[in-house]
Amino acid sequence: MDPFRPTQNQCTFREKDPNPTNTHYSDSHDTTSTCLLCYALILHIHFFKPKNQTILLTIPFNNNMGVPILAAPAADNLSNKAAMMRESLQKSQSITDKMVSILGSFDHRLSALETAMRPTQIRTHAIRRAHENIDKTLKAANVILDRFDLSREAEAKILRGPHEDLEGYLDSIEQLRSNIRFFTNNKSFKSSDGVLNHANSLLSKAISKLEHEFKQLLSSYSKPVEPDRLYECLPNSLRPSSGSPEASGKNPSNSHTDRIAAENAVYNPPVLVPPRVLPLLHDLAQHMVQAGHTQQCLIIYRDTRSQVLQESLHQLGVEKLSKDDVQKIQWEVLELKIGTWIHFMRIAVKLLFAAERKVCDQMFEGIESLKDQCFAEVTKGSIAMLLSFGDAIAKSKRSPEKLFVLLDMYEIMRELHSEIETLFSGKACKEIREAALGLTKRLAQTAKETFGDFEEAVEKDATKTAVADGTVHPLTSYVINYVKFLFDYQSTLKQLFQEFDRGDDSNSQLASVTMRIMQALQTNLEGKSKQYKDPALTNLFLMNNIHYMVRSVRRSEAKDLLGDDWVQRHRRIVQQHANQYKRNAWTKILQCLSIQGLTSSGGGGGDGGNSSGASRALVKDRLKIFNLQFEELHQRQSQWTVPDSELRESLRLAVAEVLLPAYRSFIKRFGVLVENGKTPHKYIRYSADDLDRMLGEFFEGKT
């Protein structure tokens, strides 16, 4: 709906009066037909009234017709105003057309102005670019000049050398390298080639001085480690009491216990190079590698450190011995050297090599190509010297007494295996790892073969010298002690067996080997017992030796391995030989105390028989023979020996229980025949107590 068209029953037009207190009202008339005249007036007033002014227009209407009531003058006035309105509209249109024309001329003028300004803009842009290029050139020139200034400063420090200010010298080398990279990437400069040649020449001289400084600094702080200082790094249980390498030599009886203690001990590797020097050496090595002098760095480090390491081992007492040298050394001396070698291996691996590895890792941190290689080169000679001795022992002539030192050596190589694998990791150390593992396997093989040789040697021992008193044979005590020592190496022997027979139970293997050795010993003893002409002594000899075997097994760990069945079976063998001894030694003399053959066929004796019908002459003859035989037995068997006191008393008691009752019975029954005659003491020389006392002297080994 048109906002200016009157509606409803009145035709009223009122615009807002700025003064809200003024209120204007108009008359009303019917608006059923459109009031065109009023509408025209309203439009005119709306467009041409002064701004912010309220005009109240009231037009009277004919209430009947709905037509405005206008007077004639008012109509003329309205016509004039309409004419003025048209004139104003025409003027407005004319002004609008002129403005459009003017604006069009502006567009043309601006285009012409832009065309006129273009050369100026081009010149201005060129000048701006020229200024920018000049700024860039000046900045580039400043950069180059700064590079030259830095090069002069670096050159001055390099020419002075690294001795006064090593860190500043290293910074100068780094600056020189930076300048070389800069001029290499900016070869468009006319002087780039000359600058690069000079810088490279200067860098070469700097690296040469750096090599000399690296060698001098490394040599200054590389000193052999004195033995006492190394011993202080050992656990207390492994420190030699006298402070000498020889004092640390271990014998086979206690080396196994020492090994167990050593496995759980704490070692404190010595400091080979002061920590404050290592960063400088690291920087020197890094610059040498960056300059392409990796090989020179390796050679300097190897020659310096390897010589110091070998000198440390030499002061400790390590010797380089060949197989021929080992063969010429007496066994007692060689056994001591083997003990010290075991100690030296621990010191070398757990202290010296561990400390050397730490130095390598810190000095060549970030230079992976040198870490393992330098360590391998430095330690190669030292570990070869140590392993060569072990190799010479493993390849030397086998003998039973070497088994325990072979086991000791095998133990230490097994103990150090994991540490050797860790320290000598990497491709560069592969040969060293293989050499150590190879020695371990050779020692195991030699020990196994020596074990077999020992079993065979026991069985075939052809010692002709018999023990005259029937005591325990040296072979028996040797073999039993040998077996006892073997049980000190149970875990080692089990590992050794597994080296060759991984599928079998190591316990059963050790038990089987031990039984074979015992059987070989028993077989050999039976052979040796045949050297005795007296069967009684043969039985006494076997009784003594088998009893010694049984007693030793019962008192050692061998009992658990061999079992109670073995012990009980051999105890019965001991008893059998004791019984056989009694029969062989005392049957003949006991026959003298028998009543058989004492009575004559006529019922009386030629010398005046008694009621028993015994012949006095036969009784005298029997007593005479008894005395002679007993004295002979006493003289001989008091020189025999039963070394075990319990067995000795048991054997004496067994003899006394047979002899004394028989003697008492004989004297009681037939003694009267002698006592009533002349010189009865000639025939009855001993009382039962005398015999008992003399039996107490049997088996004492008296001469």
Side-chain angles (χ1 to χ4, degrees):
M1 180 178 293
D2 194 327
F4 300 109
R5 185 179 296 277
T7 59
Q8 299 182 7
N9 295 324
Q10 62 181 358
C11 182
T12 302
F13 176 78
R14 186 180 67 178
E15 289 196 343
K16 186 177 180 181
D17 190 340
N19 187 359
T21 60
N22 296 330
T23 305
H24 306 277
Y25 298 92
S26 64
D27 295 330
S28 301
H29 64 280
D30 186 16
T31 57
T32 56
S33 61
T34 305
C35 187
L36 295 177
L37 181 57
C38 291
Y39 189 59
L41 287 174
I42 291 168
L43 289 174
H44 175 76
I45 292 169
H46 180 75
F47 288 105
F48 295 100
K49 72 179 177 64
K51 193 174 183 181
N52 297 325
Q53 183 177 351
T54 302
I55 298 175
L56 179 62
L57 176 63
T58 304
I59 302 174
F61 282 83
N62 189 320
N63 293 331
N64 296 321
M65 301 297 293
V67 178
I69 304 173
L70 296 175
D76 292 340
N77 189 22
L78 183 60
S79 177
N80 291 335
K81 287 184 178 181
M84 290 175 62
M85 183 177 172
R86 285 192 298 273
E87 184 180 357
S88 296
L89 290 172
Q90 289 174 357
K91 286 181 181 180
S92 177
Q93 182 65 39
S94 175
I95 291 169
T96 301
D97 293 341
K98 288 179 181 180
M99 285 299 295
V100 170
S101 176
I102 291 171
L103 290 173
S105 66
F106 281 169
D107 185 56
H108 176 72
R109 291 175 184 175
L110 287 172
S111 178
L113 180 61
E114 183 179 1
T115 302
M117 289 290 290
R118 186 170 293 124
T120 303
Q121 290 175 343
I122 292 173
R123 286 195 297 275
T124 302
H125 182 67
I127 292 171
R128 188 182 299 112
R129 289 188 64 183
H131 277 293
E132 290 175 356
N133 289 336
I134 290 171
D135 288 340
K136 289 180 180 178
T137 302
L138 289 174
K139 288 180 180 178
N142 286 332
V143 171
I144 294 172
L145 291 173
D146 289 342
R147 291 285 177 177
F148 277 111
D149 290 340
L150 292 172
S151 295
R152 282 194 295 271
E153 292 176 5
E155 183 175 4
K157 289 184 179 180
I158 288 171
L159 291 176
R160 283 198 298 270
H163 191 66
E164 295 180 0
D165 181 12
L166 179 57
E167 293 183 1
Y169 187 85
L170 295 175
D171 291 339
S172 298
I173 290 179
E174 189 58 41
Q175 184 59 56
L176 192 59
R177 283 203 179 97
S178 176
N179 288 347
I180 290 173
R181 288 192 296 269
F182 175 79
F183 286 107
T184 300
N185 296 329
N186 296 276
K187 287 190 175 181
S188 58
F189 302 142
K190 291 182 179 180
S191 58
S192 291
D193 292 338
V195 172
L196 283 172
N197 291 336
H198 179 70
N200 284 319
S201 175
L202 185 61
L203 182 61
S204 179
K205 293 178 182 178
I207 296 301
S208 296
K209 291 183 179 181
L210 205 62
E211 286 182 15
H212 179 73
E213 183 66 18
F214 180 70
K215 182 177 182 180
Q216 187 175 6
L217 188 63
L218 185 62
S219 299
S220 299
Y221 291 98
S222 294
K223 304 296 180 185
V225 185
E226 296 179 355
D228 289 342
R229 186 178 162 205
L230 286 173
Y231 295 145
E232 291 174 358
C233 299
L234 290 171
N236 291 332
S237 60
L238 294 177
R239 293 180 186 177
S241 56
S242 65
S244 64
E246 290 76 10
S248 62
K250 307 297 177 185
N251 58 54
S253 63
N254 60 16
S255 61
H256 180 73
T257 304
D258 293 335
R259 181 184 66 82
I260 294 175
E263 287 179 352
N264 300 321
V266 177
Y267 295 80
N268 299 303
V271 176
L272 302 183
V273 178
R276 61 183 177 82
V277 180
L278 282 173
L280 294 177
L281 290 169
H282 170 267
D283 293 341
L284 289 170
Q286 197 167 39
H287 280 286
M288 291 175 65
V289 171
Q290 290 174 356
H293 291 225
T294 303
Q295 193 64 24
Q296 290 89 326
C297 182
L298 171 63
I299 292 171
I300 292 172
Y301 187 84
R302 178 197 66 196
D303 293 347
T304 305
R305 293 299 311 162
S306 63
Q307 183 178 357
V308 171
L309 184 58
Q310 289 189 23
E311 181 61 27
S312 297
L313 290 173
H314 179 71
Q315 290 184 14
L316 191 63
V318 177
E319 300 176 272
K320 187 173 183 180
L321 298 174
S322 65
K323 181 181 176 181
D324 293 336
D325 295 331
V326 169
Q327 296 286 10
K328 296 175 184 177
I329 300 175
Q330 293 182 354
W331 169 242
E332 292 77 10
V333 178
L334 185 60
E335 188 177 18
L336 180 61
K337 288 185 179 295
I338 291 172
T340 57
W341 178 85
I342 291 170
H343 200 54
F344 293 157
M345 281 297 297
R346 280 201 185 99
I347 292 175
V349 174
K350 293 178 178 288
L351 297 181
L352 287 173
F353 295 158
E356 194 66 47
R357 184 65 178 186
K358 186 176 181 180
V359 171
C360 271
D361 289 346
Q362 291 179 350
M363 191 176 301
F364 300 108
E365 184 180 2
I367 314 173
E368 299 301 326
S369 60
L370 277 180
K371 265 187 185 180
D372 293 339
Q373 191 174 2
C374 280
F375 182 67
E377 291 290 333
V378 167
T379 56
K380 182 168 59 177
S382 296
I383 200 164
M385 181 168 59
L386 287 165
L387 296 182
S388 65
F389 177 80
D391 202 56
I393 297 295
K395 292 179 179 178
S396 63
K397 184 178 179 181
R398 298 194 303 270
S399 60
E401 65 270 14
K402 288 184 180 178
L403 177 59
F404 299 108
V405 294
L406 287 169
L407 292 175
D408 286 336
M409 296 171 75
Y410 174 72
E411 274 186 348
I412 190 63
M413 293 305 296
R414 290 281 303 178
E415 176 189 329
L416 300 176
H417 174 72
S418 60
E419 290 179 75
I420 290 174
E421 289 290 315
T422 301
L423 289 175
F424 296 93
S425 59
K427 185 178 179 181
C429 301
K430 182 180 178 182
E431 290 185 5
I432 296 176
R433 293 196 306 273
E434 290 178 348
L437 183 60
L439 174 59
T440 305
K441 290 184 176 181
R442 279 191 296 278
L443 289 169
Q445 182 65 37
T446 305
K448 183 183 179 185
E449 292 172 354
T450 305
F451 214 144
D453 293 344
F454 176 70
E455 180 184 342
E456 185 178 354
V458 169
E459 186 173 1
K460 296 182 178 180
D461 179 70
T463 305
K464 296 298 182 182
T465 304
V467 285
D469 57 356
T471 188
V472 176
H473 196 279
L475 177 65
T476 304
S477 58
Y478 176 75
V479 172
I480 293 301
N481 287 333
Y482 203 92
V483 171
K484 284 182 180 178
F485 288 153
L486 286 178
F487 279 94
D488 286 337
Y489 293 86
Q490 277 195 70
S491 60
T492 305
L493 288 169
K494 291 174 184 178
Q495 289 177 348
L496 189 144
F497 290 141
Q498 289 175 356
E499 291 273 357
F500 305 98
D501 302 302
R502 295 188 176 275
D504 297 336
D505 181 15
S506 56
N507 279 329
S508 62
Q509 285 181 308
L510 183 58
S512 176
V513 170
T514 306
M515 285 183 179
R516 290 202 305 269
I517 292 175
M518 291 298 207
Q519 185 58 48
L521 174 60
Q522 193 171 341
T523 302
N524 187 283
L525 291 172
E526 289 174 356
K528 284 181 167 47
S529 69
K530 294 176 181 178
Q531 298 177 18
Y532 297 106
K533 296 179 180 180
D534 189 339
L537 186 55
T538 296
N539 295 124
L540 188 76
F541 171 78
L542 291 173
M543 179 196 71
N544 278 331
N545 283 270
I546 296 176
H547 178 268
Y548 181 83
M549 293 167 61
V550 172
R551 187 191 63 177
S552 299
V553 168
R554 288 179 61 192
R555 296 178 180 179
S556 70
E557 296 179 57
K559 179 183 178 182
D560 297 331
L561 203 62
L562 296 177
D564 288 333
D565 289 344
W566 186 94
V567 173
Q568 295 302 326
R569 186 170 67 253
H570 285 77
R571 287 183 69 178
R572 287 194 294 270
I573 294 174
V574 172
Q575 188 60 47
Q576 289 170 7
H577 285 298
N579 294 336
Q580 194 66 31
Y581 155 78
K582 287 191 297 181
R583 282 194 293 270
N584 291 330
W586 298 95
T587 297
K588 188 176 180 181
I589 195 173
L590 287 173
Q591 289 176 352
C592 295
L593 302 177
S594 173
I595 64 173
Q596 294 180 2
L598 287 179
T599 58
S600 62
S601 57
D607 295 324
N610 61 9
S611 58
S612 64
S615 169
R616 180 179 290 119
L618 289 177
V619 170
K620 289 182 177 180
D621 188 53
R622 289 281 188 91
L623 288 172
K624 184 177 180 181
I625 294 172
F626 174 84
N627 292 335
L628 291 174
Q629 288 185 353
F630 184 79
E631 289 169 359
E632 182 183 352
L633 286 173
H634 176 267
Q635 182 182 4
R636 189 187 321 135
Q637 294 195 24
S638 62
Q639 297 177 14
W640 294 357
T641 303
V642 177
D644 184 80
S645 59
E646 185 178 346
L647 179 63
R648 184 170 60 247
E649 290 301 321
S650 174
L651 192 60
R652 288 172 180 169
L653 181 60
V655 172
E657 287 176 348
V658 175
L659 178 65
L660 296 182
Y663 185 75
R664 288 192 181 99
S665 175
F666 186 88
I667 294 299
K668 182 178 180 181
R669 184 171 183 179
F670 302 107
V672 66
L673 297 177
V674 178
E675 290 172 352
N676 293 333
K678 297 179 180 179
T679 62
H681 62 275
K682 179 179 178 181
Y683 301 100
I684 304 176
R685 294 183 184 178
Y686 307 106
S687 66
D689 292 339
D690 292 334
L691 293 180
D692 190 27
R693 177 181 55 78
M694 294 176 71
L695 283 175
E697 297 174 354
F698 276 45
F699 317 127
E700 291 288 347
K702 295 181 178 179
T703 57

